Amino acid sequence: MRRTTRLLTGTALAVAVAGGIAVPAYGARDAGGTLDIHPVGVVPGDPVTVRTAACGADGTAAGDAGAVGAGRFTLVPDAHRGGATGEFRVPPSAQPGTYEIVAQCAKGGRRLTGDLVVTLASARRPVAPRGSVKTGVGGALGPDPVQTAAGVAALAVAAAGGTWLLHRRARGDGI
């Protein structure tokens, strides 16, 4: 009987502790919010649209894209979508990586975050390869006609010399 009481007491204590830890974490998650960033993946120089409904239908927010180097921007009420919308442009000097974009609602001071991914190429604008393949052998020197002619001449001399030596050997001239 005493063993069963200890087991039940330990289980109840573990559930209470787990519930006490989970409730503050859930409450802290509600304190913030998220920004809808479109498009999520951009190349340097592209415009980015930021939207949120967390500030209310008539709410505004001050945005900060300083992490990517774009500075501050403003989110203003959007009558069509029922939230606040703002824009900024990713600077051409931005490096590839994931950047946190932050906004703070004017009323209530609610902090909102979202992630922006900067890449060197996007699906909309693929980068086409240019030039010859740098393998270190063969076409590594480029398409120079003088060098190509010199190479062909060297191969012709080697083939003629090899043929002459094989012909002398077959005749028995002593090589």
Side-chain angles (χ1 to χ4, degrees):
M1 177 87 169
R2 193 170 193 193
R3 183 176 177 161
T4 305
T5 305
R6 283 186 186 170
L7 181 62
L8 290 175
T9 304
T11 304
L13 183 61
V15 169
V17 168
I21 291 172
V23 170
Y26 182 77
R29 176 82 171 119
D30 274 352
T34 60
L35 291 174
D36 295 326
I37 298 177
H38 184 76
V40 174
V42 296
V43 296
D46 278 357
V48 176
T49 302
V50 179
R51 185 184 173 288
T52 186
C55 295
D58 295 328
T60 61
D64 184 14
V68 73
R72 297 193 173 276
F73 62 98
T74 304
L75 284 83
V76 295
D78 184 359
H80 302 293
R81 301 182 100 180
T85 303
E87 264 193 22
F88 67 90
R89 185 171 293 277
V90 177
S93 61
Q95 297 297 313
T98 302
Y99 298 92
E100 182 179 56
I101 307 303
V102 180
Q104 189 165 3
C105 296
K107 293 181 183 175
R110 188 171 189 183
R111 185 176 188 271
L112 312 165
T113 61
D115 288 336
L116 174 70
V117 178
V118 177
T119 60
L120 292 180
S122 71
R124 295 177 291 152
R125 289 188 282 165
V127 176
R130 290 178 281 164
S132 59
V133 177
K134 305 286 191 261
T135 61
V137 180
L141 296 177
D144 184 17
V146 174
Q147 290 179 348
T148 303
V152 169
L155 287 173
V157 169
T163 303
W164 178 72
L165 286 174
L166 288 175
H167 182 62
R168 281 190 62 190
R169 187 173 185 188
R171 282 191 335 183
D173 287 346
I175 284 190

